[in-house]
Every structure is written in structure tokens, then in C-alpha cells.
């Protein structure tokens, strides 16, 4: 599987069976690695409704026919307000099964309002793909239930926000890694805007000295093969 970082919290996971796009905020993203029109996903999954995650979801889905997975209130906006037809609408604990794997929504501690004003709650995404478990934490602060995901499905790759201000900072993110217990950590949600500037190299040093995980720092556009 290839995990390509597209900037902020946007990632593209690619295997032989599927191209999965998470949180495609590209238009207006100063660190975007690609333009929305360059992407051709089969599935788009959203952690929550904030503009730096919801991003180009509607345009990409309209153009490509991609199936969108989003928590029920956002899913209802996508079908009702934006006219998308291929939308899955789980809530926490729900698992959306596909022929290539599955996506489960788990809690995150944050807020969530879409650009059109739909209020919901934010999620993390647990993704089973290519025989691996990828846990995209979404936007969240540190909280103890992060440890519950790995009890059921040991996490291979955790995608973790480290920028602070809107999410946990790089110090709390080290504790989050201890709770999640992944093999590999990819930091995100930092250095896109001044309030979330941080030192990813220091995060990597701290994680690798204090936990058993390895940190892979991706610049926007970089790909990690897992
Ligand atoms: Ni947010
Ligand atoms: Mn965000």
C-alpha cells in the first residue's frame, strides 16, 4: 500500500484494489501537493466537517462518482444539499464494508461544523486496507479512549495531528502514540498555517525514544510504502 500525504490532513491510500482519499482539503491549502482535479479516488472518507478536512469533497465526488463515507449528519448534507448519490452514513462504532476492506468511525475530541453549517461530531477513521490497519486520528486532543482502537485491531499506521492550537500538540501526540501503540506514525496537521507550526523532527525524536513506534515524516507530495 502507498500512503501519500497531500497536505494538512489529506492522505491518499492506494492498493491494487482501491484508491482511498481522506480529508481532501486542496483548494485554498497553501501546502497542497496536488489540485483536486488531479485526483481520481474510488472512496473519500471524512473525519469531520471543518473546511480544512471537508475541502474539495463535493467537487471530487461529483466529478468521479466516488463513494463518500462520513458521519450521518454530514452524509445527509452531502446527499440532500449537494445531491451526491454514493454516500455511506455511519455513526460511531459503525463499520462500512467494501470489497477491499472496511472503514470504522471512532470518537475524536474536537468540534465539527461544515462550511454550510451542518453541526455534527468529529471522528477518527480506522481503516482496514491491504491487510493493514491504518488509524487516522482526525482532529483531536489527547484522551484515554484512543487506546481502545488497538485493543480490537492492532494498529500498523497511525496518522496523528501534532500542530497544536486546534488539536493536540506534538507533546500530547507522543502520549497519544503510547496509547494507540502503532508500529508506524505519520504526523499531520502542522505547518500549514502559522498557528499550527511545530517541530516534526522533535516529535520524531521524542516518539522514537519514548515508545516502540517509528515516525515517518512526509512532506506534502511524499509517499510512504507500507
Ligand atoms: Ni477541525
Ligand atoms: Mn483541522
Amino acid at each position: 500500500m502507498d500512503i501519500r500525504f497531500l497536505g494538512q490532513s489529506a492522505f491518499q491510500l492506494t492498493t491494487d484494489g482501491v484508491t482511498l482519499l481522506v480529508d481532501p482539503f486542496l483548494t485554498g491549502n497553501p501546502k497542497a501537493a496536488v489540485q483536486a482535479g488531479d485526483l481520481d479516488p474510488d472512496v473519500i472518507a471524512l473525519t469531520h466537517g471543518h473546511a480544512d478536512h471537508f475541502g474539495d469533497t463535493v467537487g471530487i465526488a461529483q466529478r468521479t462518482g466516488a463513494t463518500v463515507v462520513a458521519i450521518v449528519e454530514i452524509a445527509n448534507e452531502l446527499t440532500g444539499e449537494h445531491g451526491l448519490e454514493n454516500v455511506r452514513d455511519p455513526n460511531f462504532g459503525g463499520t462500512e464494508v467494501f470489497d477491499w476492506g472496511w472503514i470504522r468511525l471512532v470518537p475524536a475530541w474536537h468540534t465539527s461544523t461544515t462550511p454550510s453549517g451542518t453541526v455534527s461530531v468529529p471522528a477518527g477513521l480506522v481503516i482496514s486496507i491491504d491487510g493493514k490497519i491504518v488509524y487516522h486520528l482526525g482532529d483531536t486532543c489527547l484522551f484515554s479512549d484512543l487506546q481502545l482502537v488497538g485493543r480490537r485491531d492492532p494498529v500498523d499506521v497511525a496518522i496523528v495531528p501534532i500542530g497544536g492550537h486546534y488539536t493536540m500538540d506534538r507533546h500530547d501526540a507522543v502520549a497519544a502514540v503510547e496509547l494507540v501503540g502503532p508500529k508506524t506514525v505519520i504526523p499531520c496537521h502542522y505547518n500549514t498555517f502559522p498557528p499550527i507550526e511545530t517541530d516534526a523532527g522533535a516529535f520524531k525524536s521524542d516518539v522514537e525514544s519514548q515508545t516502540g513506534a517509528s515516525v515517518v515524516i512526509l512532506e506534502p507530495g511524499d509517499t510512504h510504502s507500507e
Side-chain angles (χ1 to χ4, degrees), residues 205-223:
S205 299
D206 290 345
V207 167
E208 293 184 347
S209 63
Q210 296 172 38
T211 79
S214 300
V215 175
V216 176
I217 297 172
L218 299 178
E219 295 300 322
D222 285 355
T223 297

Side-chain angles (χ1 to χ4, degrees), residues 90-154:
N91 209 320
F92 291 145
T95 301
E96 292 302 315
V97 178
F98 298 85
D99 56 7
W100 51 265
W102 49 258
I103 301 172
R104 180 180 305 127
L105 262 59
V106 295
W109 265 104
H110 188 67
T111 58
S112 176
T113 307
T114 65
S116 318
T118 300
V119 177
S120 64
V121 288
L125 303 172
V126 185
I127 302 164
S128 175
I129 180 171
D130 200 27
K132 306 269 185 175
I133 298 291
V134 178
Y135 178 16
H136 191 309
L137 274 65
D139 280 1
T140 188
C141 62
L142 177 64
F143 67 113
S144 59
D145 283 359
L146 291 168
Q147 68 189 296
L148 297 178
V149 169
R151 288 192 190 175
R152 177 168 174 183
D153 301 297

Side-chain angles (χ1 to χ4, degrees), residues 8-9 23 47-48 50-53 110 138-139 166-167 189 196:
Q8 188 68 343
S9 292
D23 286 359
T47 62
H48 66 295
H50 286 154
D52 59 316
H53 302 259
H110 188 67
D139 280 1
Y166 302 112
T167 70
H189 212 273
I196 58 173

Side-chain angles (χ1 to χ4, degrees), residues 82-95:
H82 304 293
L84 298 184
E85 294 180 354
N86 300 321
V87 179
R88 305 245 196 138
D89 64 347
N91 209 320
F92 291 145
T95 301

